[in-house]
Amino acid sequence: MAPPEGSDTIATGNTANNEIATLLETATTNLQIRSEVENCLTSILTDVELASTLNTTVQSSVSTTQLRHKLTKTQLALDESRAVVEHETTRRIQLGDAFLVEWVKLSTYIQELERWRENNQVRIDEYDDMKRQLGVVTDRAKALELVNEEIMVSRQSGADGEKEKESADEEKGGEDVVVGAGTGDGGGKVDPDVGQDAAAASAVASVKTDVAEVDDNTTAAAAATAATSVDN
């Protein structure tokens, strides 16, 4: 018995419907899979972007903290440097003021000394002259002392020789030695030692007088200078 004429068409239509349904299911499944994959990729990309943003934020925070520490240290160093500069400036100003004060005092003192020297130049010259005279008199006194010592030595030698002569005369017969006997013209013999002693004594007295005068002049000049200094 032959199939009806419309059965093949119906069977073909059912097969096509089944294939279309299968294709639709497959497409739907693919779309769902793609959608899930896209969602996963989007989530992963979002996470990566968020991680990158967080990393950048953390690095920025760390850099900011480090920069703040460096800024604090720099500020402290700058404050210390400013304090040192201010202290050094103050010290230099104080030293300059002290130097200026001492300079003014020294200049005033030098001017006073110059005025004192101008006012007492004559006395200074007189004092220098008296010192020179005193030196000359001292040299003369020393020379006279040497001459006096020589005279004393000469007298001692003469006395010793005289004693030896007297001893020899006594041994020979007791001849008398008359010192200063007359020569028949009314005059007497002068002992040379006595003349030398008189000359030496006169010279020493003259030197002592000169020394006393120089001392008096020196004392007077010193007193006048002191009085002038007190007046000034």
Side-chain angles (χ1 to χ4, degrees):
M1 182 175 176
E5 292 179 359
S7 60
D8 292 335
T9 303
I10 293 170
T12 301
N14 291 330
T15 302
N17 290 330
N18 292 331
E19 289 179 357
I20 291 171
T22 301
L23 290 173
L24 289 173
E25 290 178 357
T26 302
T28 301
T29 303
N30 289 333
L31 287 175
Q32 290 178 352
I33 292 172
R34 288 180 179 180
S35 178
E36 290 179 0
V37 170
E38 186 176 359
N39 291 333
C40 289
L41 290 175
T42 303
S43 178
I44 292 171
L45 182 60
T46 303
D47 292 339
V48 170
E49 290 178 354
L50 180 60
S52 178
T53 303
L54 291 175
N55 188 21
T56 303
T57 304
V58 170
Q59 289 181 353
S60 298
S61 179
V62 172
S63 299
T64 303
T65 304
Q66 291 178 352
L67 290 175
R68 285 178 180 175
H69 286 302
K70 290 182 180 179
L71 180 61
T72 303
K73 291 181 180 179
T74 305
Q75 188 66 34
L76 291 175
L78 183 60
D79 293 340
E80 184 178 357
S81 177
R82 287 178 179 174
V84 171
V85 170
E86 290 178 357
H87 177 71
E88 186 67 19
T89 302
T90 304
R91 188 181 68 86
R92 289 183 178 181
I93 292 173
Q94 291 176 353
L95 288 177
D97 293 339
F99 177 77
L100 182 61
V101 171
E102 293 297 328
W103 178 262
V104 172
K105 289 181 179 179
L106 182 61
S107 299
T108 304
Y109 181 69
I110 291 175
Q111 291 177 359
E112 291 178 356
L113 289 179
E114 291 294 333
R115 286 196 297 269
W116 182 88
R117 184 171 182 176
E118 291 176 358
N119 295 330
N120 298 276
Q121 186 64 39
V122 176
R123 292 187 178 88
I124 293 173
D125 295 338
E126 291 177 353
Y127 179 75
D128 293 336
D129 188 36
M130 284 186 289
K131 284 178 64 178
R132 182 182 58 80
Q133 293 178 2
L134 181 61
V136 173
V137 172
T138 303
D139 294 336
R140 289 176 58 188
K142 290 180 179 179
L144 290 176
E145 288 179 357
L146 293 176
V147 172
N148 191 17
E149 290 179 357
E150 292 178 356
I151 292 173
M152 294 298 293
V153 171
S154 177
R155 289 186 61 186
Q156 187 67 30
S157 299
D160 294 339
E162 192 69 26
K163 289 180 179 180
E164 291 178 357
K165 184 177 180 181
E166 289 178 357
S167 299
D169 291 339
E170 289 177 356
E171 291 177 355
K172 289 180 180 180
E175 296 179 356
D176 295 332
V177 178
V178 179
V179 179
T183 57
D185 56 356
K189 186 183 291 185
V190 179
D191 190 355
D193 293 337
V194 175
Q196 292 178 355
D197 290 343
S202 177
V204 170
S206 176
V207 170
K208 288 182 178 180
T209 302
D210 294 337
V211 171
E213 291 178 357
V214 172
D215 290 338
D216 293 338
N217 293 332
T218 304
T219 303
T225 303
T228 305
S229 299
V230 172
D231 294 337
N232 293 330

